[in-house]
Each structure stands twice: as C-alpha cells, then as structure tokens.
Amino acid sequence: MSQATASTGAMGTAAALFRKCPTTGLKVHKDADALIKANAVAATVALLIGGIAATLVLLTRWQTVHLLSDELFYRWLTVHGMNMLIFFIIFFEMAVLYFASAVLLNCRVPTPKLGWVAFALMVVGALMVEWTMFTGRADVLFTSYVPLRAHPAFYLGVILFAVGAIVVTAIFFATLVVAKREETYTGSVPLVTFGGITAAIIAAITLGHGAAIYIPTFFWSLDMMNVDPQVYRLVWWGLGHSSQQINVAAMVAIWYLLGAFTVGAVVVNEKISRTAFVLYIAFISMASAHHLLVDPGFGPSWKIVNTSYFMYMAVLASMLHGFTVPAGVEMGMRLRGYTQGIFGWLRRAPWNDPGFSALVFSVVVFGFVGGITGVTFGTEQINIVAHNTLRIPGHFHATVVSGTAMAFMGVTYYVIPLIFRKKVAFYPLAKIQPYLFAGGMLLFSLTMTFAGTFGVPRRHYDITFAGAPFTLEYSPAVNVMLALMAIGGLIAIVGGGIYILVTVWSVFFGQPLGDDMSEAALAGSVPPGVYKRPFTELPEEEVELEEHGALGMMPGTMILVLIFFVAFVVYYFANWKLLSAMWQIG
Amino acid sequence: MSKQTYATGVTPPQGVWWKPAHKSEKVWFTIAFVWCMVLFAMMPLWHLRGGQNPTGIRAKVEPRDYLVRVQQFVADYGTGESENGIPVVEPPPGADVYLLAAQYQWTPVLRLQEGAEYTLHLSSLDVNHGFNLYPFNVNFQVVPGYDYGLRVTPTEAGDYRIVCNEFCGVGHHLMVGKVLVMPAEDGASASADQTDGAPVVPGADR
Ligand code: HEM
Ligand SMILES: [Cu+2]
C-alpha cells in the first residue's frame, strides 16, 4: 500500500537535490545554499589552520625531529585543538543542519537574516579566539582548565561562537516546523534528517553546558568571581564530551546519507535506527564522567553510572548503527542485483567513489579503533592505565578524525556538485584522498595508542625530559612508535591537504556543472552517485531477499560485526589484565 | 516480514515505520545488549575483587593547608637528605604520605617499602597536574583544592619516576619526581604483605 507514495517521495527528493536549474523559481533554496556555502568555507579555513598546526605539533612530538620550542609547541597545540575540534567541526555541522532541514525537506530557511547574524557571531567569536591564541594570550590548550588563565577575549570569543551555534540550531528547528506546516514533504522526516534532529537536540543541551561554564569563567578571568577547578572540569566536559556526541550523531546521519547517495543503501529498519538515535539523546549529559574517572571530586557509584551512560545505552546505540549502516549498504546492493555469495556486494561496490570509500573507512576506523578503545578506556578502573597518556589522543583521532572528519570529507564530494553546482576539481586526486587520509590516520592512531600503553603522556613537549630534576627513558619501542605515528600523521596531512585543494579549487575556480546531468557529461569529474543516482533505482514492488542460513539476509554484515565483537572482547579483557599488573591501589 | 519494500535514509518513510526487526538485527541487538551488561557489571565486580580502583579518600582542602601538611610530613619523616634540592622522605609503612604538585615540581622524593600499604595524598598548590607513575602506567588527576588519598601498595621494588601528565604551563615537561621502593626485608614487612588490604598501622601516627 505504501510503496507508491514511498517512491514518489524518493523522486520528489531526487528532483530537489538534483534540480537542473537553480534559477527556475527555486529562489527558496538560495538562502540555504548560501548559508551552507558560507559555513562550509569557514570550516575549511579552520581545517587549514588546524592542519598547519597539526604538522608543527606532529613534527615536535616526533622526538627525533622535535621542531618547535616548548612555548610554541603548547601554543600550536592550543591552535590545533580549537581550530579542529571546535571551529572546523562545528562550522561544518552548521552546514549539515541547513542541509538536513532546508534541502532534504525541500523547504525555505524561515529566517535567513538571522542565519547570517549567527554566522557573523561565530566568525567574530572565532577571530577573537584566534587573536588571543596567536598573540600568546591563551596558552591554555583547548580545555583551558581553570585556574590556567587566558585573556578574557578568549572566553568571550568562545561564548559568541556558541551563541551563534545555538541560533543556527534554533533556525534548524524552525525550518522543521515550517516544512511540516507548508507540507513540503509527506510522511515522516527522512532518517538523515532524524539524525540531524538528534544532533541538534544534543547541541542545544551541550551549548547549555557551554554557557554554564564559559560565562562564569569569563567573569573569573576578569577577577569578578571564583570558579572551582573540579566543578570546571565537570561542567566543561559536559560541553566537551557532549559535543562529541553531536559529532557522532551528525556522522551517523552522514553515513546513512552517503550510503544512499553512493550505493542506494536502504534503511533496514526505521524503528531500530531511530530508536538508536533516541538513545543518544537520552543518555548524553552523562558523557562528562569518563574524563573524570581518576579525579578526586567524585565517588565510585557516580563514576560507574555516568561513565557507562547508564549501563552503556549509548554504546548499544552505536553498536546498532554500526550494524544497520553496513547492513543497509549490503541490502541496497543485493536489491540491485549484487547477490553473489557473502561478500560479492562488497567486492563490487564503487571503491573508486570517494564518497563510498570515505564511508567505509569512517565506519570501520570509528568502530574498530575509536569505539573499542573508547569504551575500554572509559571503564572506571581501566582509565587508571589510560588517563592523559597518548592512548587518549590515539583514541579520539580514530573517532573524531577518521570517523567524523572523514565522513564530512566524503560528503563534501557530493556537496560540491549538488550544492555548489561545480565539478570536483582534480577528481583523480579526490578519489585517492580517503585512502590517504584514513590510512594515514589509522597508522597514526594505532601507533599513538600503542606508545601510550608505555605511559607516554599526551600534551607533552619533551619525553627525554632534558633539564628535569630526574630523568627516565622509555622503552626503545616508543621511539619506533612515535616515528611511525609521524609517518602516518604526515600521510594524513597530505590527504587533508588534497581535500582542501580540491574543495577550494572546485568552489572558487571550478567548472560549473551545466545542465546535462548524464553519465556521459559528468563521468570522471564528479562521484558516480551524482549521475547514477542509485537511490532512485530501488525496486518499487515488495521483494524477498535470500536468507543465508543462520546469517540471515545480510550475511556479510553479520560476519563483519562478529569479527568486530571478538576484537572488542579481546581488547577489553587484555586491558583488565594489564591493569591487574599494577601497584595495588584503592 | 520476509517481503517488504525499502527506502533510503534520504527519503521520508511513508505510513507506519514501527515494524518488527529482521532476524539478524535481533541477533545483533541481543549480543550487543548482553555485552553492554557485561561491560557494566565488570566495574562493580572489580571493586569487590580487583586490586586497582580509583576510589580513594576524597576531601576538599585549601592549597595553603595542604602545603602545611606536606611540610609537616617532611618534618616528621624526612631523612635529612635531598636530591636535586628536593627533600627525601621515608615514611613508615601505613603512614599518610603527602605529595605536592606545584609548577613545576613534585615534592618530596619518597622512599617506600615494597609490600607495605600507604595512603598517598595528592594535591596541587596551583593548577591541575597529572600523576603518572613510570615505568608502570598508573595515572591520576591532581586538582587544586582537592585531596585525593589513595591507598597504595607498591608491589615491586624499584626506582620509579612521577611524570606530570596534565598540561600545567610552559615548564610542564620538566616536572619529574621520584619514588624509590626498597625491597621488603624478610620478616616484618612480609607479614604486611599478607594482610590482604587491611591497613597495617605500625607508624600511623602523624
Ligand atoms: C591531519 C591530521 C592530524 C594530525 C597529524 C594530528 C596530529 C595531532 C597531534 C600530534 C596531536 C598532539 C597530541 C599530544 O601531544 O597530546 C594532536 C592533538 C589533537 N588533535 Fe589532532 N591531528 C590531526 C587532525 C585532527 C583533527 C581533524 C581533529 C579534530 C577534528 C583533531 C583534534 C585534535 C585534538 C582535540 C587534540 C588534542 C589537543 C590537546 O590535547 O589539547 N586533530 N593532533
Ligand atoms: Cu605539572
């Protein structure tokens, strides 16, 4: 009964996404387009600054090269953290919010002027922060733990930036309301938009924490009030980690989006995927705790309940998405005839589509490396052998970089033709970009994590401790690990550089797409999903897929997640073993 | 449920989408759910059975007051020696040990006995610091205004270092302290070894 409407829905969206001529009465989209462009450009600028900082910091942590001076190392590390984690990611997410509302729902942005005000606030805030950092007025790293002190403009800049982001979140919700009222779509919002809603709700909660901590801290920096260092850590991480949950929600939404664009991935079960998103929202404010597991301010029950997001319900959610995304890809491929064997669909997948390879790397590295290490290190006691060592940046470069940033990069190759309406410049380079970026980051995060198991600290200028009252020497394995880390990092930086080159060139000097959207006109200059539109090729009638015995209708995915599960169990218990060899502590 | 139509994540689903899950989804959900419960149970379990927990005795303390305690501790148990200008202290087994973190030094240098239990207090005079024990990899956050009293039993003799692993300013990487753990003499402290976590109180006056 419902399939007829479902397919018109698909066509309707397709028409909106792939509209031939942006001038034919589609004025409503122009605001969304322009806002998406502005935010994406700002994100890219932040990525460039953060990338330069990454290079300098990386070449200093590679102990053999040890490039910067101590002061400059900590300064560039602050620049790296702020530009990457805050400015790049959040500007990009603002673009995602406009996309998931106005574009996917075919709706106008109700208050474009306010959108520009928000953008201006964010830019001004970011510039204030950059100024304090680059003039040495904020050598406090991005966490700015009180009572380390930065110039008041640093805190004020963050506040302005956050206010801008809150406004965009509000516009997002307003767009949803308008779309519903003006009936720009039928049925329920698409899953990708639902993911965007999840991200936006978490953003609202998170930015609330942000206000709760940066406003008092701003007044503290003016000597007008006191801020307790432990309370600061608690509330700051209510911002700092919850915002990682925005990233995860946005990333998962993009997984579904890229799956649809590149191979026509289906949603295996809307109920499961949406429930998993809701779990993210429900348990999010607890996320602060796993940064405080070895802090003096909190007792064991608080730590256990909170670090596990109340019994690992957010982990459960991620494990569900980690299944449904590849399962959707597998089913999408099988529905379109790639039914050979267990992994035929994977072998025949469009590996040279940068959107697809980015999707695969994002899912795999996020899950296998980032997810497993994250849950393990976030265990109350295991945190004793992980806190503030290189294991931590090793973990989050696998999540927010190889996961979130990789997904954002992958979707950009579709945003360039669909929103900017340009061909992808240097397309052959774009095709290998995900391999370089994700491959490099994988080597980087694995070796960094491994160096951390020797206790090598994060955020540390000199692990030869020259000039310290006592010295020590790490195992020679550490030197090897740090050298490999540097190589992996440099490969990833090349990947990041290609990304910036391709996007900037396409947007500012790129060839316009023209009206001909056929394969003949576009092959070799945009990702194949743009002209093949696999998501419009799904069978409209009811179909039955072959069952593969106990492995069910998605046998390949089932095998992949079982491998993941075994890796998870082994790594988790290996860490308990490691812990049990330490001094007795209680 | 075997026959159905499919839509992608970019299309609005029509009608009721609250439908039963596929068999494989149910299987994976069950595995994941059970695993989450195992993950959760491990933490309380380790409190009962395991030897390493970050519980400690937790209290607030004014940095100034903490400094006084450290000075008293050095006066009580100091050996009179110093290493690189940092006093060396040898507290008796069972004692409260006060370690001070301040930009950019750990005070004092500690001499402990293998197998004896101590209450190791950590706090800071200025900003956040991080306690990292080398060559083991044991890490705790040191927060100004808070006293973290951890009951520790050095299980192996050796020459240890304390590395600061929370950024505390531009001299952060110079902040290295020292703990010497002396081998247990047979007899006296061997019994301390056997007491299974219950504090031994020979010299617990302070
Ligand atoms: C292009 C590849 C990248 C390389 C080679 C790189 C390298 C590094 C290095 C060497 C550190 C210092 C680790 C330490 O000393 O503690 C670091 C820290 C960090 N990176 Fe990256 N990074 C890259 C991309 C990113 C991206 C895209 C993000 C965020 C989206 C990011 C977020 C961070 C954060 C938050 C820190 C911690 C800063 C701190 O501890 O204050 N990085 N990175
Ligand atoms: Cu320090």
Side-chain angles (χ1 to χ4, degrees):
Chain A
M1 177 206 96
S2 64
Q3 67 258 36
T5 30
S7 57
T8 19
M11 290 313 183
T13 318
L17 290 174
F18 297 98
R19 61 193 181 280
K20 295 255 157 76
C21 178
T23 52
T24 54
L26 287 173
K27 184 179 156 289
V28 284
H29 281 102
K30 275 195 181 155
D31 296 319
D33 280 7
L35 284 164
I36 290 174
K37 284 181 194 171
N39 281 287
V41 168
T44 310
V45 172
L47 180 66
L48 178 64
I49 302 174
I52 294 169
T55 317
L56 299 173
V57 169
L58 180 75
L59 291 179
T60 308
R61 286 239 56 169
W62 185 4
Q63 197 69 42
T64 322
V65 178
H66 212 229
L67 183 69
L68 298 174
S69 71
D70 48 7
E71 196 185 22
L72 284 180
F73 170 77
Y74 296 119
R75 187 164 304 160
W76 280 105
L77 188 55
T78 312
V79 169
H80 178 64
M82 287 306 286
N83 276 282
M84 289 300 206
L85 197 68
I86 314 293
F87 302 148
F88 160 59
I89 292 278
I90 297 185
F91 271 125
F92 204 102
E93 276 160 357
M94 298 300 111
V96 171
L97 287 184
Y98 286 118
F99 182 84
S101 56
V103 176
L104 282 186
L105 297 181
N106 216 353
C107 178
R108 67 199 170 86
V109 176
T111 52
K113 284 222 179 72
L114 199 57
W116 289 110
V117 171
F119 179 71
L121 274 174
M122 292 175 74
V123 170
V124 170
L127 286 176
M128 285 169 74
V129 172
E130 303 284 6
W131 172 74
T132 55
M133 291 190 301
F134 279 104
T135 55
R137 289 174 167 87
D139 293 337
V140 291
L141 303 189
F142 77 100
T143 43
S144 54
Y145 290 138
V146 163
L148 283 176
R149 196 180 274 268
H151 191 279
F154 176 82
Y155 308 104
L156 191 60
V158 176
I159 293 170
L160 294 183
F161 185 83
V163 170
I166 292 181
V167 172
V168 178
T169 314
I171 296 174
F172 170 81
F173 287 115
T175 312
L176 295 186
V177 173
V178 169
K180 187 91 209 163
R181 194 175 323 126
E182 297 180 356
E183 296 180 2
T184 61
Y185 65 101
T186 55
S188 313
V189 295
L191 181 59
V192 171
T193 307
F194 195 84
I197 295 176
T198 307
I201 293 175
I202 300 173
I205 303 171
T206 300
L207 295 166
H209 284 106
I213 197 60
Y214 274 100
I215 293 173
T217 306
F218 171 63
F219 286 113
W220 166 80
S221 74
L222 295 170
D223 286 322
M224 289 164 65
M225 66 180 285
N226 259 327
V227 176
D228 182 273
Q230 183 72 84
V231 173
Y232 179 92
R233 280 173 59 77
L234 173 69
V235 186
W236 194 90
W237 281 112
L239 162 78
H241 199 90
S242 308
S243 66
Q244 303 318 308
Q245 235 69 28
I246 312 177
N247 301 341
V248 171
M251 171 188 77
V252 174
I254 288 179
W255 286 353
Y256 287 109
L257 182 76
L258 280 174
F261 280 178
T262 57
V263 296
V266 297
V267 181
V268 179
N269 185 298
E270 297 273 358
K271 174 178 74 177
I272 298 265
S273 298
R274 285 171 199 239
T275 309
F277 274 126
V278 172
L279 285 177
Y280 280 153
I281 303 173
F283 297 105
I284 214 55
S285 337
M286 306 179 130
S288 173
H290 65 233
H291 295 265
L292 311 172
L293 292 175
V294 293
D295 270 37
F298 315 92
S301 6
W302 184 88
K303 287 176 180 175
I304 291 178
V305 170
N306 284 281
T307 193
S308 67
Y309 296 60
F310 200 73
M311 302 200 170
Y312 290 100
M313 286 304 115
V315 172
L316 181 65
S318 290
M319 286 176 79
L320 290 177
H321 287 303
F323 177 86
T324 57
V325 169
V329 169
E330 175 168 4
M331 281 198 140
M333 292 292 284
R334 286 182 185 277
L335 284 168
R336 290 182 306 109
Y338 299 97
T339 50
Q340 316 88 316
I342 302 226
F343 285 114
W345 58 279
L346 195 56
R347 235 174 295 123
R348 306 275 303 277
W351 287 96
N352 61 355
D353 176 339
F356 182 77
S357 53
L359 167 65
V360 173
F361 291 132
S362 178
V363 173
V364 170
V365 183
F366 180 88
F368 273 82
V369 186
I372 292 179
T373 56
V375 174
T376 305
F377 301 163
T379 306
E380 190 203 2
Q381 295 91 347
I382 294 176
N383 193 252
I384 295 173
V385 292
H387 181 69
N388 274 357
T389 66
L390 275 185
R391 301 182 94 183
I392 303 303
H395 147 73
F396 66 68
H397 281 82
T399 53
V400 73
V401 187
S402 315
T404 308
M406 184 78 268
F408 286 3
M409 290 173 174
V411 80
T412 307
Y413 299 120
Y414 279 81
V415 169
I416 290 171
L418 300 181
I419 303 291
F420 289 90
R421 311 206 53 77
K422 295 283 175 68
K423 292 185 176 173
V424 177
F426 311 112
Y427 186 64
L429 278 181
K431 280 198 291 194
I432 58 166
Q433 190 272 337
Y435 291 85
L436 289 174
F437 189 75
M441 260 299 128
L442 180 61
L443 179 62
F444 173 91
S445 27
L446 287 177
T447 48
M448 192 182 227
T449 309
F450 195 65
T453 43
F454 292 92
V456 178
R458 68 183 286 199
R459 301 176 149 183
H460 201 280
Y461 171 63
D462 181 12
I463 57 163
T464 65
F465 305 98
F470 306 100
T471 54
L472 55 128
E473 220 172 288
Y474 288 108
S475 147
V478 166
N479 270 329
V480 178
M481 287 304 130
L482 292 183
L484 288 173
M485 173 188 104
I487 293 168
L490 288 174
I491 297 174
I493 287 167
V494 171
I498 292 178
Y499 171 79
I500 294 175
L501 175 73
V502 167
T503 47
V504 171
W505 201 276
S506 310
V507 170
F508 291 105
F509 316 105
Q511 277 180 7
L513 214 49
D515 289 343
D516 187 355
M517 294 289 282
S518 69
E519 174 157 6
L522 294 183
S525 58
V526 296
V530 173
Y531 46 83
K532 289 197 173 146
R533 296 177 223 170
F535 68 91
T536 60
E537 285 174 12
L538 293 172
E540 286 174 21
E541 68 287 3
E542 301 206 341
V543 282
E544 182 164 9
L545 281 168
E546 187 192 349
E547 294 270 352
H548 293 250
L551 295 174
M553 282 151 78
M554 357 176 179
T557 304
M558 205 63 210
I559 289 180
L560 292 177
V561 294
L562 289 176
I563 296 174
F564 165 81
F565 181 64
V566 171
F568 200 162
V569 174
V570 169
Y571 189 78
Y572 180 71
F573 284 109
N575 271 276
W576 281 111
K577 180 98 185 101
L578 186 69
L579 176 71
S580 68
M582 301 295 140
W583 284 9
Q584 300 263 312
I585 299 167
Chain B
M1 243 345 274
S2 50
K3 277 189 164 208
Q4 70 174 99
T5 53
Y6 292 95
T8 71
V10 291
T11 42
Q14 306 298 311
V16 180
W17 45 259
W18 190 265
K19 293 186 186 142
H22 288 261
K23 192 181 74 190
S24 357
E25 283 178 303
K26 286 183 187 152
V27 171
W28 178 244
F29 175 85
T30 311
I31 294 176
F33 186 81
V34 171
W35 177 236
C36 287
M37 293 305 114
V38 172
L39 294 175
F40 186 71
M42 276 306 288
M43 292 186 286
L45 200 65
W46 199 264
H47 274 282
L48 297 175
R49 290 293 166 81
Q52 295 80 13
N53 287 290
T55 313
I57 308 160
R58 305 171 311 275
K60 291 195 104 175
V61 63
E62 279 301 312
R64 235 175 297 110
D65 300 339
Y66 190 78
L67 180 63
V68 172
R69 285 182 211 172
V70 175
Q71 285 163 342
Q72 188 60 46
F73 171 64
V74 175
D76 287 350
Y77 305 121
T79 61
E81 303 154 72
S82 71
E83 289 194 39
N84 297 315
I86 307 169
V88 178
V89 178
E90 189 172 344
D96 281 277
V97 173
Y98 290 90
L99 186 65
L100 179 74
Q103 286 166 331
Y104 301 104
Q105 184 173 305
W106 297 98
T107 317
V109 170
L110 298 173
R111 234 179 250 169
L112 307 178
Q113 294 253 332
E114 180 187 357
E117 194 189 75
Y118 303 87
T119 304
L120 173 63
H121 294 265
L122 302 171
S123 193
S124 160
L125 198 56
D126 37 52
V127 298
N128 275 269
H129 296 274
F131 174 93
N132 165 271
L133 185 70
Y134 166 96
F136 277 133
N137 181 12
V138 169
N139 304 279
F140 290 96
Q141 187 78 18
V142 184
V143 183
Y146 289 79
D147 175 0
Y148 207 170
L150 295 156
R151 277 160 295 229
V152 303
T153 309
T155 47
E156 258 178 63
D159 186 5
Y160 294 85
R161 294 288 176 272
I162 305 165
V163 174
C164 180
N165 71 359
E166 182 60 82
F167 172 70
C168 56
V170 76
H172 168 48
H173 51 279
L174 301 175
M175 193 163 157
V176 181
K178 178 171 170 176
V179 183
L180 199 67
V181 177
M182 290 168 309
E185 302 128 35
D186 335 67
S189 47
S191 66
D193 223 336
Q194 301 306 315
T195 48
D196 198 21
V200 200
V201 254
D205 53 315
R206 55 184 194 89

